Amino acid sequence: MKALQFLFLSLLVISCSEKQKHSYSFYYWKTHLALNETEKKSLDNSTNSVLYTRFFDVDKVGEKFQPVAVITKDKSFETDKQIVPTVFITNQTFLHIKKEEIHFLAESIHQLIQKKAQNHQLKINNEIQIDCDWTAGTKDDYFEFLKQLKKISQKEITCTLRLHQVKDKDLTGIPPVEKVYLMCYSTSSPLENSDKNSILDLNIMKSYLSKLEEYPIKKIEVALPIYSWGIVTNHLGKHKLINALSAKDLDNPDFKKISDNEIEILKDGFYFGNFLNKGFKIKVEEISQEQLNNAIKFLDKKISSYNIIYYQLDGKFVEGRKF
């Protein structure tokens, strides 16, 4: 009997100390669908059966709804994964929207998704994901749009959830969906003077998600960042972004190292497709495996089980990573 009790206790200790295992997939966020060998390999190795693919953005231009950056497709984009169509909608699209326009918008988005899936022979599944940074002022119309889209498409409608929408849930409301995708990145603006990593600062994330376990929607998937960028600062202290820069890109005889991730330009010239002047500074922000592990460790205490979606599938971001 004692031996059995000991065995039971041992198994309990082992199971409690075991890390949660998370199935993972990727966001694909380029306008032209194409996969190189590195991207194909990472996608094939991903443990989830889907790829979240941005089909187009929607914005309001001169009081008219406009699809922006609609996808095109290269023959190299072949995958056995099912595609989850993802649509980004600007918050201003829902400002002062009329009731009849909400139905029109839902109908138009559904039709364009169907058309692009058919044109590009994409194997889409039964889900449509909407990405919108809605606010207290647009929540009612945005939530009505989600309901209309579900009714029209007869599909499962899911949506993204930003950190402030968790913290300020009483203000921004709870979307009428059964599943949300928590975006654990963009914790601050890269265009502010700050020593924080604007892609993911763990302390900021923890403060926003301190009461995540109280969020009413329990089906939560987690989006984590693997992207990087360079923040260029000019003589006036103004900033601009150069996407996909890494610390390795800073090794250049025309650059003076300030720190491991920051340089000063020593002479005028074209760098990374931009003309940059002497004296400009570039600070690279990227995400280490340790940062991701620490974020997952925190989230494991808040959510009982979840899948991870890495943003985003790009050879430069996936190469050398162990998912």
Side-chain angles (χ1 to χ4, degrees), residues 193 231-240 265 275-282:
N193 288 313
I231 302 165
V232 180
T233 307
N234 70 9
H235 300 119
L236 300 171
K238 292 195 172 170
H239 309 293
K240 75 180 231 176
I265 294 170
F275 186 81
L276 305 175
N277 293 109
K278 179 185 175 181
F280 281 24
K281 289 175 182 168
I282 303 175

Side-chain angles (χ1 to χ4, degrees), residues 26 34 94 97 101 133 210 216 229 257 296:
F26 295 99
F94 293 100
I97 193 170
E101 289 178 327
D133 190 6
S210 61
W229 54 32
K257 276 270 178 112
I296 291 166

Side-chain angles (χ1 to χ4, degrees), residues 152-181:
I152 290 163
S153 66
Q154 294 294 298
K155 288 179 177 281
E156 181 191 8
I157 304 302
T158 62
C159 72
T160 55
L161 181 67
R162 283 164 172 75
L163 300 179
H164 74 89
Q165 291 159 347
V166 176
K167 187 183 178 186
D168 304 325
K169 65 180 187 296
D170 294 339
L171 204 64
T172 53
I174 310 300
V177 296
E178 288 178 18
K179 181 164 68 172
V180 288
Y181 291 77

Side-chain angles (χ1 to χ4, degrees), residues 31 33 63 70 103 108 127 138 176 184 206 212 216 219-220 224 249 254 260-261 275 287-288 293 301 304:
T31 303
L33 307 184
E63 296 306 303
V70 182
H103 182 85
S108 302
E127 179 183 354
T138 56
C184 293
K206 284 179 178 180
L212 177 60
K219 215 170 176 184
I220 299 175
L224 288 174
D249 295 318
D254 294 335
D260 287 344
N261 66 332
F275 186 81
I287 299 297
S288 68
N293 291 345
K301 293 172 189 168
S304 58

Side-chain angles (χ1 to χ4, degrees), residues 27-31 52 54 57 86 88 131 311-313:
Y27 276 110
Y28 189 93
W29 216 259
K30 296 174 191 172
T31 303
Y52 295 86
R54 189 202 70 89
D57 301 343
T86 303
F88 171 74
D131 177 20
Y311 182 86
Q312 61 166 314
L313 182 61

Side-chain angles (χ1 to χ4, degrees), residues 44-59:
D44 289 344
N45 290 339
S46 64
T47 53
N48 206 323
S49 60
V50 297
L51 175 66
Y52 295 86
T53 307
R54 189 202 70 89
F55 271 43
F56 50 88
D57 301 343
V58 176
D59 198 6

Side-chain angles (χ1 to χ4, degrees), residues 5 12-13 42-43 48 101 103 122 141 166 181 191 197 215 240 267-268 280 283 285 304 313 316-318 322:
Q5 283 176 326
L12 195 65
V13 169
S42 290
L43 183 56
N48 206 323
E101 289 178 327
H103 182 85
L122 297 171
D141 292 322
V166 176
Y181 291 77
L191 306 181
N197 186 320
Y215 197 76
K240 75 180 231 176
K267 66 176 189 180
D268 296 355
F280 281 24
K283 174 190 167 193
E285 292 185 337
S304 58
L313 182 61
K316 187 143 188 184
F317 303 144
V318 296
K322 290 184 173 68

Side-chain angles (χ1 to χ4, degrees), residues 100-114 145 148-149 151-153:
E100 62 272 18
E101 289 178 327
I102 295 174
H103 182 85
F104 170 77
L105 183 63
E107 185 76 62
S108 302
I109 285 173
H110 171 60
Q111 283 177 5
L112 189 52
I113 288 171
Q114 295 299 110
F145 160 79
Q148 293 274 349
L149 185 59
K151 202 172 169 184
I152 290 163
S153 66

